[in-house]
Amino acid sequence: MGTSGQRTADWDALLLQSSDLVRSEAAFPRVQRDILQVEQYSQKLRARAARADATTETLDASRLLAHEGLNPRKLTQALQTFELRPTYEDVFAVETATVEEYLQQVHEMISVTAIQEAQQSAVAAFEDFMDSCMDSEWQQEKRALFDSVAPYSTSTALAPGPSPGGAMSPYAPRPLPGAGAGPSPAYRGTPLGALGVGRSPLAPGNLALRGRAAKYADVVRKVNAAGAAGSQGYSPVQDFAAACADESNGERRTTMLRVWQVLSRLLGGVAGLPAAARTQRTEALLVGARSYLEDNFTAHMQKVVATHRTQAALGGSPSRLGLVNAFLRVKEKDRGALDFDQPGGVDTTWMRIYCCLRAGFHAEAAQVAKGVREVTTPRAGASSDLAAQLAAWAEGGCRPLGGEAGAHLAAECDRLLRDKAARQRHAFYAQRAMVHALLSGYNRGAEAVVKDSPTFFPTIEDFLWFKLSLVRPEGRVASVSFTGGASGSSAGVLDCYLLSDLQNYLQQYPASHYSHNGKEPLLYVVVLLLSLQFRGAVAFLAREAATRDYRLDAVHLAICLQYYGVLDTSAADAGAGGRGVDIGQLIHRYAKEFLYTDPALALEYYMLAADAMGGSVQVKGQLLRELLVESKAYGYLLGSGGAAGEGGALARFIPDAGERGRVLEAVAHECAASAQLEEAVELFMFAGRPRQALRILNQRLSDAAEPAASDATRGDEVAAVISRGNAAVAAMGSMQDPEDLREVEAFDLLKSIRDMLAASARGNHTRTLQKLGELPFVPTERFRLQLCASGVASLHPAVADRLPAVLLAAASALAAGGKREQLQTLVAFASAVPNRISQSVYQQLNQLQASVA
């Protein structure tokens, strides 16, 4: 207590002392400061104050946010763009007094806002969609551009350079960087091999085919040889398959060897059928497709049984039915004991029947069908013996049964689909319904089964086999009415499932649906071939980015299909995947790769391209003109004996001399129309048409005569034309045809005109007048004026073109010699043919006449 009282006294004493100090104002001096001084003292005080470092705090905060996975920069940006949006309660004016009206107004406002937001979202989505479409189109155009630049080669860098023919060679490769140590490895899409060491890259023998391209080229030569010999027994598809036998496909399971094997099975029964038998050929192709799928399923069963030997319990010498039983032991192992192993086991009768049909074991299927436990009571007049129906189905080429039998089977399929209790009792009711749908060709019933059991077809091969078995030939389409219907109606119609229906169904899905999202592009090719969409298969290999490595195979697949004549098997094929693909242009495009390096091989492909384009003389002429003009290989391709001689390499494709001459003549006309006169003359001579060659030479001599008179450097050109013209005249021999005589006469006149103009240019008027006497169409006597004027219309065009120059040269010589009367006759002749003489030439003639007067 004492201590507490003492402290209180101390505080009181301090208080009294403070009060005394405040009252005594004189003890403290008065301080006066202006505003500037106060501000200065405040800044000094603030500078002495201890402050925290903001930069350090920011760095610490950034580290903390980064440790938690947040981006502080984005958070700052989001905070800067953060906007407080008012709610409906903030802006909505309450104009009603009741809660119901208020809620109604709020609901309307929310609806309007939702509509506006949906419109904005739709516009944004549309803009994004258009951007994606434009990007996709740009990517496609870019790929098409790259394919057009180098469609068959990606492992060799191409550098354009002069070829032996003088054009820009598509094959002047230089090794890629780092590839100079040795030849590069073979590449499936490149038709050319690596360059030989120490050899010129432009030498024709320096670019050799390699790998599959070389083997394909050998098969192409055999195809052309068989076509030239008229042999129908050669089957190139096996040779094409052999060309791919020793090549791997990387990580892809489906190879070109399998594609050729599928095609070989399809075309096996077509070779002996005429091209006009379209229905029979389509039927043979369908049989081949089903046969391949059945053998493929048999191999699958054998593989499963071999993998599970103990469980399959196949035995030492199994039968085909034993193979099916062993396969079912493995596949249906979860169902327990099966009926063929233990009495009273799970009934597998319908499953065994379906598996036998799937594997093509028709006799075994009929054998199993004899033990069917449940046989429904058929309608009057209908066959109830399933084994007999299976035998009839197999004997009919596995075509759906018609008549009462087909109608009864379809009705039974519908009954099974309507019987809900049967699905619970029978483990394989779906197989039972499918067997009935298969035998009757009832597609709607099969689709209903698949709808109830979506996993019924585990692979695309199973689906294709079943659908191909439902297909009816277009020549035998018929509809059969029956009692019942898949939709539950009292009467149904047995629909006819056509090949075009299957193709249209497959075309509904993109290629990635069948090729594991593009990982197995050749699997889609197999699907197209098995559904007889041959043109679509070629188009897919030739166009799609996923099949860039198979451009070479696309060309030869087209050649093989064209050889067998099956490209246009179905209109649905040409109208969908194959739209726009030109087989002839595809082969022609590949053939151009060999123009400058191997004209012999280029000719092989050019002839196949011509056949694909129709095989007419005009088409062959156009392609042959391109080959000859670009390669300049006249001697090799045409030989040295003319159209009737040995004929060169072309004689192998066109053995008949007359037809070969017509083709060469068509090529020559194409060259003449394209102003390729040198090539046209050579081709006319090779074709045995010297008159046409001389006609071109006459025109060339006429065009060159006047310039050569004043330019001595063109004398060699005129001399070469005259030499070739003399050869053409010699080739014509003792001609009797008026047209031949007219061309020879024009050639002789043009030679005289050339000499006359040359003499006039040198000022040799005597020589000019001598040559004037060799030109009967120019009058120098008055009595010949009318005759020559009327004969100008019948002059050869090449001679008529030089008439003004001849008149000027003759008038100059006559004027120099002072021969006034002859000069007047010449001027009168010029006035008599005003259509041939220009006004300037006529004025010069008058001036010369006036000078003499």
Side-chain angles (χ1 to χ4, degrees):
M1 288 294 294
T3 303
S4 176
Q6 184 178 358
R7 291 179 177 176
T8 303
D10 294 339
W11 283 106
D12 293 340
L14 289 173
L15 178 62
L16 292 174
Q17 292 176 3
S18 299
S19 300
D20 295 338
L21 289 173
V22 170
R23 285 194 297 268
S24 60
E25 297 179 356
F28 298 95
R30 183 176 298 275
V31 179
Q32 295 182 353
R33 298 287 187 272
D34 57 8
I35 298 300
L36 294 178
Q37 291 176 339
V38 171
E39 183 180 3
Q40 292 176 357
Y41 283 114
S42 299
Q43 291 177 354
K44 292 180 181 180
L45 181 63
R46 180 172 177 271
R48 291 197 303 267
R51 291 179 299 165
D53 190 356
T55 304
T56 305
E57 294 179 355
T58 303
L59 292 176
D60 294 340
S62 299
R63 292 191 188 98
L64 178 62
L65 292 174
H67 181 71
E68 298 297 330
L70 300 175
N71 190 344
R73 180 177 298 177
K74 290 186 176 180
L75 290 177
T76 304
Q77 294 177 354
L79 184 61
Q80 292 175 353
T81 58
F82 181 74
E83 179 183 359
L84 293 176
R85 300 182 61 183
T87 62
Y88 292 109
E89 291 78 4
D90 296 333
V91 298
F92 188 71
V94 180
E95 300 177 355
T96 58
T98 63
V99 175
E100 289 79 6
E101 293 179 354
Y102 171 77
L103 293 177
Q104 179 65 24
Q105 293 183 4
V106 171
H107 175 72
E108 293 177 356
M109 182 61 67
I110 293 175
S111 300
V112 171
T113 305
I115 292 173
Q116 293 177 351
E117 292 179 352
Q119 290 176 346
Q120 295 175 358
S121 301
V123 172
F126 176 75
E127 292 177 352
D128 294 340
F129 174 74
M130 293 302 298
D131 292 341
S132 63
C133 289
M134 292 177 62
D135 182 70
S136 176
E137 291 178 359
W138 181 82
Q139 293 290 346
Q140 292 178 1
E141 292 179 358
K142 182 178 70 173
R143 288 195 298 268
L145 176 61
F146 290 162
D147 288 345
S148 64
V149 173
Y152 307 110
S153 178
T154 56
S155 64
T156 304
L158 299 182
S163 70
M168 298 301 290
S169 172
Y171 291 116
R174 61 177 183 269
L176 288 173
S184 59
Y187 184 74
R188 65 172 66 91
T190 307
L192 296 183
L195 294 177
V197 179
R199 301 177 63 183
S200 171
L202 299 178
N206 193 27
L207 298 173
L209 289 174
R210 64 181 177 185
R212 193 150 70 217
K215 299 176 183 178
Y216 279 163
D218 293 336
V219 181
V220 166
R221 294 186 182 95
K222 296 178 182 179
V223 169
N224 283 324
S231 175
Q232 301 294 332
Y234 177 63
S235 180
V237 65
Q238 284 82 9
D239 291 340
F240 280 124
C244 306
D246 57 347
E247 293 197 16
S248 62
N249 200 26
E251 299 179 355
R252 295 172 178 172
R253 293 178 296 175
T254 309
T255 63
M256 275 305 301
L257 177 59
R258 183 187 177 189
V259 173
W260 288 115
Q261 290 173 345
V262 171
L263 192 59
S264 177
R265 294 296 298 274
L266 289 174
L267 301 175
V270 178
L273 297 175
R278 295 179 59 89
T279 303
Q280 289 81 355
R281 291 170 67 87
T282 303
E283 186 73 18
L285 291 170
L286 291 173
V287 171
R290 291 198 310 271
S291 176
Y292 171 81
L293 292 171
E294 290 167 356
D295 292 347
N296 194 25
F297 182 72
T298 302
H300 169 67
M301 290 195 301
Q302 293 173 346
K303 182 178 180 180
V304 171
V305 170
T307 306
H308 306 82
R309 293 179 180 274
T310 304
Q311 189 175 2
L314 183 59
S317 57
S319 61
R320 298 198 298 184
L321 184 57
L323 175 63
V324 174
N325 294 339
F327 174 71
L328 292 180
R329 289 191 188 98
V330 178
K331 183 179 180 182
E332 306 297 337
K333 60 182 179 180
D334 297 333
R335 295 185 182 274
L338 304 180
D339 57 349
F340 51 80
D341 287 332
Q342 178 180 337
V346 178
D347 186 7
T348 60
T349 302
W350 292 103
M351 185 64 178
R352 283 187 289 163
I353 292 175
Y354 182 82
C355 286
C356 288
L357 295 177
R358 176 67 180 86
F361 303 161
H362 302 152
E364 287 73 9
Q367 178 183 347
V368 177
K370 294 179 181 179
V372 174
R373 298 179 183 179
E374 299 181 9
V375 179
T376 59
T377 302
R379 297 185 304 167
S383 173
S384 61
D385 190 354
L386 181 62
Q389 292 172 342
L390 285 171
W393 178 79
E395 292 175 358
C398 301
R399 296 293 93 204
L401 299 176
E404 291 295 325
H408 166 66
L409 290 169
E412 178 65 14
C413 178
D414 275 333
R415 188 194 67 79
L416 292 172
L417 291 173
R418 293 194 303 270
D419 190 356
K420 305 297 183 181
R423 304 182 187 182
Q424 304 296 330
R425 297 193 307 268
H426 301 288
F428 302 106
Y429 91 96
Q431 284 75 13
R432 181 178 181 180
M434 278 299 197
V435 169
H436 287 80
L438 180 66
L439 297 180
S440 61
Y442 188 30
N443 181 57
R444 284 185 295 171
E447 291 179 351
V449 174
V450 175
K451 184 177 181 180
D452 293 339
S453 303
T455 60
F456 185 85
F457 296 121
T459 63
I460 185 62
E461 288 85 355
D462 296 324
F463 172 81
L464 283 176
W465 173 82
F466 191 88
K467 289 295 185 179
L468 289 172
S469 300
L470 295 181
V471 170
R472 295 174 182 263
E474 297 186 7
R476 304 184 215 164
V477 173
S479 297
V480 179
S481 300
F482 62 93
T483 302
S487 60
S489 58
S490 59
V493 177
L494 187 57
D495 54 350
C496 298
Y497 193 69
L498 304 179
L499 177 61
S500 58
D501 298 330
L502 173 60
Q503 293 172 345
N504 291 330
Y505 177 82
L506 295 175
Q507 292 167 7
Q508 294 177 2
Y509 302 94
S512 59
H513 179 75
Y514 305 98
S515 59
H516 301 166
N517 292 325
K519 297 179 182 179
E520 295 286 338
L522 293 184
L523 187 59
Y524 182 54
V525 178
V526 172
V527 172
L528 292 174
L529 292 178
L530 290 173
S531 58
L532 309 191
Q533 301 184 72
F534 301 118
R535 193 176 288 271
V538 174
F540 178 72
L541 285 177
R543 293 175 174 174
E544 296 298 323
T547 59
R548 180 177 176 81
D549 295 343
Y550 304 99
R551 298 292 192 258
L552 175 69
D553 304 285
V555 175
H556 294 87
L557 180 65
I559 291 173
C560 184
L561 295 172
Q562 176 67 28
Y563 178 81
Y564 285 95
V566 296
L567 276 169
D568 297 323
T569 300
S570 173
D573 175 27
R579 180 184 292 118
V581 61
D582 191 330
I583 301 301
Q585 291 296 333
L586 182 66
I587 303 173
H588 175 223
R589 182 182 176 187
Y590 180 72
K592 292 172 68 175
E593 301 290 326
F594 307 101
L595 273 177
Y596 310 101
T597 58
D598 195 347
L601 184 58
L603 179 62
E604 302 280 351
Y605 285 100
Y606 264 80
M607 291 297 101
L608 291 175
D611 292 337
M613 295 178 184
S616 64
V617 174
Q618 181 181 3
V619 171
K620 291 181 179 179
Q622 291 175 352
L623 295 181
L624 188 59
R625 176 182 68 84
E626 178 182 293
L627 177 59
L628 290 171
V629 171
E630 296 294 336
S631 67
K632 304 293 184 181
Y634 293 99
Y636 172 78
L637 298 175
L638 303 180
S640 58
E646 56 186 39
L650 185 62
R652 292 195 302 108
F653 303 95
I654 311 176
D656 182 66
E659 183 180 358
R660 189 164 61 249
R662 290 191 294 271
V663 171
L664 293 178
E665 187 176 359
V667 177
H669 283 297
E670 289 285 340
C671 291
S674 303
Q676 297 169 330
L677 302 181
E678 291 281 351
E679 292 81 2
V681 171
E682 292 292 335
L683 290 171
F684 277 129
M685 295 299 292
F686 272 108
R689 303 292 189 271
R691 183 180 68 195
Q692 286 84 346
L694 187 57
R695 180 181 295 117
I696 296 176
L697 291 172
N698 284 337
Q699 189 61 50
R700 293 189 61 194
L701 181 57
S702 175
D703 296 337
E706 190 172 353
S710 57
D711 187 0
T713 59
R714 301 191 62 176
D716 294 339
E717 176 187 352
V718 175
V721 172
I722 293 175
S723 176
R724 299 178 70 181
N726 292 330
V729 173
M732 296 170 68
S734 57
M735 70 295 290
Q736 299 293 333
D737 188 272
E739 290 294 329
D740 294 346
L741 294 173
R742 186 167 184 262
E743 294 297 335
V744 173
E745 180 184 359
F747 181 65
D748 294 335
L749 291 175
L750 287 169
K751 289 192 293 183
S752 299
I753 291 173
R754 180 250 183 180
D755 294 338
M756 176 183 177
L757 295 179
S760 177
R762 295 192 303 267
N764 190 348
H765 301 298
T766 303
R767 179 67 174 173
T768 302
L769 294 177
Q770 289 177 355
K771 290 299 179 180
L772 180 60
E774 298 177 4
L775 305 178
F777 59 90
V778 180
T780 55
E781 294 84 8
R782 182 65 70 170
F783 71 91
R784 296 182 59 243
L785 178 60
Q786 188 62 34
L787 179 62
C788 293
S790 60
V792 169
S794 61
L795 282 177
H796 192 282
V799 176
D801 290 342
R802 302 279 72 81
L803 183 59
V806 168
L807 294 181
L808 283 176
S812 299
L814 292 174
K819 299 180 180 181
R820 178 181 178 184
E821 294 182 359
Q822 294 178 353
L823 182 56
Q824 290 177 347
T825 303
L826 195 66
V827 174
F829 171 73
S831 63
V833 287
N835 295 331
R836 298 286 185 178
I837 306 301
S838 64
Q839 188 66 27
S840 61
V841 173
Y842 190 72
Q843 291 178 358
Q844 293 180 37
L845 293 175
N846 286 329
Q847 291 175 1
L848 291 172
Q849 182 182 7
S851 65
V852 175

